Amino acid sequence: MSNDCDYARDLELEYRPFSLSLSSPLETADGTIETRDGFLVRILDTTPDDGDPVVGYGEATPLPGWTESRADCEAALERASEAIGTTPDAALEAVEDQVAARHAITLALTDLQATRESTPLYRYIGKGPMVGRVPVNATVGDGSPTETASEAAAAVGRGFNCCKLKVGRRDLETDIERVRRTREAVGPDVELRADANEAWTYDEATTALEAFADLDVAILEQPLPAGALEGHADLRRRTGDDGVAIALDEGLLEHGVDAICDAEAADVLVLKPMALGGVDVARKVAAWVGMLEVTPIVTTTIDAVVARTGAVHLAASIPDVPACGVATAELLAEDLGRDPVLLEKGSAVVPQAKGLGVEGVWQE
């Protein structure tokens, strides 16, 4: 997508590193993560008509296994800062295929343009009506059955009506019991989802699906390794139209939309803007899969406030979006600035200020 701006005559791109502590360590396939390390990006149009610079903010927060490394991201941002000049596309070409760096630059450019046009970012990218709220899910960790049920019940008490349970770290029987106890705790009206993060074999996933159907689980996310496209397609055929929906997350990056839809391997696709290379790419994918009758859901990669707010705007730009995984601020022990997104009664209140609506993140 071209990001050339008819008003941009003198653009400057600056970036600075940050390191934010997590509330608790994150276990990934590449090891334990205790901080989220990335770059805050600022793009300035220094020659607008009214004489005051217009600013757009972006964020590149690489995540092992999902994006380029921090070193490669920094190198890409440096190339972009040298190339941007008066042509935004030159900056995008300079980052090549470094998705986190591209995310930062496209978000900053989009924020700048939406700010220039005095419109919220979600309306700028979606061209749709005003949206006040986006439904969000609570994410429940992999505690014991009692802990899981208690955590989910507490989330429902705070207003969430959709809970996503992490599964796959414990034995299958325990995971099924965790879901059963959670259903008993939250009642029949709360949507339950489960995310296995590629943990199961085909037989384990089949057993889980049978049990989860009885417990009215709505979505099972990435039960098999990302490469198992046909395996997911087989699981989806077993569940039928009225069973547990199959969602792909890691599988989307592995195979792409065409292959997944050709194989009929997913009912739902999870869109992480940081891993896809930007809110512009994610918005196009959402529109594309929606036409193919696959449901898009937006989530973050445990991002700081700039990227997280961008994900909320992305979700708000998608018509009839289901509950999204953007309520992730509590996973950080600190942040880059004040969060403009209020969580209220299971929804994210969408900022209506021009652009992203993020302020105070760039301290001189």
Side-chain angles (χ1 to χ4, degrees):
M1 181 184 76
S2 174
N3 281 280
D4 281 325
C5 315
D6 58 6
Y7 61 82
R9 296 174 295 282
D10 189 5
L11 297 180
E12 297 177 5
L13 187 155
E14 302 173 324
Y15 64 94
R16 55 175 55 168
F18 64 79
S19 181
L20 303 173
S21 298
L22 294 176
S23 299
S24 58
L26 172 67
E27 301 294 335
T28 76
D30 295 285
T32 302
I33 296 174
E34 296 183 349
T35 61
R36 292 296 283 125
D37 302 319
F39 301 92
L40 177 63
V41 170
R42 179 172 73 168
I43 295 179
L44 299 93
D45 174 10
T46 58
T47 57
D49 294 337
D50 59 10
D52 294 325
V54 180
V55 180
Y57 294 107
E59 177 187 326
T61 310
L63 183 64
W66 290 93
T67 73
E68 73 272 22
S69 68
R70 186 179 183 279
D72 287 344
C73 182
E74 183 173 17
L77 290 174
E78 181 62 26
R79 293 194 302 270
S81 70
E82 297 171 354
I84 191 166
T86 59
T87 309
D89 282 347
L92 295 178
E93 292 169 3
V95 302
E96 299 172 346
D97 59 351
Q98 310 304 315
V99 291
R102 188 186 185 284
H103 174 278
I105 294 170
T106 55
L107 184 57
L109 287 169
T110 306
D111 183 25
L112 188 151
Q113 294 181 54
T115 299
R116 179 70 177 181
E117 296 188 14
S118 297
T119 188
L121 190 139
Y122 76 90
R123 297 196 72 181
Y124 180 83
I125 62 175
K127 311 301 181 186
M130 178 179 174
V131 175
R133 295 171 179 266
V134 169
V136 297
N137 66 264
T139 300
V140 178
D142 61 348
S144 69
T146 299
E147 292 168 337
T148 301
S150 177
E151 186 177 347
V156 172
R158 297 194 304 272
F160 289 93
N161 58 14
C162 178
C163 295
K164 182 170 83 168
L165 280 60
K166 290 292 187 178
V167 297
R169 297 286 300 277
R170 297 172 179 267
D171 64 86
L172 182 58
E173 182 178 342
T174 300
D175 273 337
I176 293 172
E177 179 63 17
R178 291 172 62 233
V179 176
R180 180 178 293 111
R181 293 279 293 276
T182 299
R183 175 55 75 197
E184 292 172 353
V186 302
D189 297 328
V190 173
E191 180 179 327
L192 293 183
R193 302 172 181 174
D195 181 3
N197 288 119
E198 308 180 83
W200 288 333
T201 65
Y202 182 85
D203 288 343
E204 288 172 329
T206 299
T207 299
L209 280 170
E210 292 174 353
F212 289 174
D214 291 338
L215 296 169
D216 196 24
V217 171
I219 297 172
L220 174 59
E221 183 178 327
Q222 203 67 53
L224 307 177
L229 187 64
E230 286 301 323
H232 285 106
D234 287 343
L235 289 176
R236 184 169 176 267
R237 283 190 286 270
R238 291 178 69 99
T239 64
D241 293 336
D242 299 323
V244 181
I246 299 297
L248 293 187
D249 186 0
E250 292 90 342
L252 175 58
L253 297 185
E254 179 83 10
H255 301 287
V257 172
D258 281 340
I260 291 170
C261 291
D262 287 347
E264 298 183 344
D267 303 284
V268 178
L269 288 179
V270 179
L271 310 183
K272 288 180 165 65
M274 189 72 67
L276 291 172
V279 294
D280 59 328
V281 175
R283 183 65 180 80
K284 285 185 176 181
V285 172
W288 182 8
V289 302
M291 290 188 293
L292 298 173
E293 298 185 350
V294 175
T295 301
I297 290 178
V298 178
T299 69
T300 74
T301 44
I302 312 183
D303 307 319
V305 65
V306 174
R308 199 171 60 244
T309 304
V312 170
H313 279 282
L314 169 64
S317 77
I318 301 171
D320 302 317
V321 71
C324 291
V326 294
T328 54
E330 64 183 15
L331 300 177
L332 294 173
E334 54 187 328
D335 213 331
L336 296 174
R338 184 185 66 82
D339 194 339
V341 177
L342 174 67
L343 294 179
E344 186 177 83
K345 297 181 179 179
S347 298
V349 180
V350 183
Q352 301 299 324
K354 58 188 178 182
L356 273 172
V358 173
E359 299 178 347
V361 294
W362 192 279
Q363 302 295 330
E364 298 294 348

